[in-house]
Amino acid sequence: MKSFIFSVIVLTSSFVQAKPMLETLLGYLHNYEGLVFQVHSGGCTTKDDFIVVITNKDVQEVRLYRVRPDFCRAHLVHGTLIKFSFDELPIDRHRRFKIVNPIHLTYAENPS
């Protein structure tokens, strides 16, 4: 009985939190307040679904990882915006940084 309960806990926790995946972005911007990432969304994506990892090199490398998938089915064409203030991020604002995530360009209409 104990092993069954443990198995159920392990199985359900694997659905709640997946292996962190480097997020493919729809876009991003930064301003004096922080970073804004435009990400794919099925309609249920929230900031809590992500972590930001900073690698300190000559140029700081910023990576956004999705730690919880969005299984909703709205499939928002322009995704949703996820905002992180510089106070939340361990970025040295006096040094250069770059976003390492891949970008996926999409168009709501045919651009031709």
Side-chain angles (χ1 to χ4, degrees), residues 9 12 15 23 37 39 41 53-54 56 66 78 85 94 98 100 104-105 111:
I9 291 171
T12 56
F15 287 114
E23 182 73 2
F37 298 98
V39 298
S41 177
V53 176
I54 312 295
N56 281 309
R66 187 182 288 261
H78 299 291
S85 71
H94 302 291
K98 65 181 178 181
V100 179
H104 178 230
L105 300 177

Side-chain angles (χ1 to χ4, degrees), residues 36-53:
V36 180
F37 298 98
Q38 185 178 4
V39 298
H40 293 278
S41 177
C44 298
T45 299
T46 69
K47 182 177 179 176
D48 293 335
D49 298 336
F50 297 93
I51 58 170
V52 177
V53 176

Side-chain angles (χ1 to χ4, degrees), residues 20-63:
M21 299 290 294
L22 188 64
E23 182 73 2
T24 298
L25 304 176
L26 296 173
Y28 66 90
L29 63 90
H30 70 284
N31 58 26
Y32 65 92
E33 294 177 348
L35 299 174
V36 180
F37 298 98
Q38 185 178 4
V39 298
H40 293 278
S41 177
C44 298
T45 299
T46 69
K47 182 177 179 176
D48 293 335
D49 298 336
F50 297 93
I51 58 170
V52 177
V53 176
I54 312 295
T55 305
N56 281 309
K57 297 185 176 184
D58 291 335
V59 175
Q60 299 170 100
E61 295 181 348
V62 178
R63 290 175 174 82

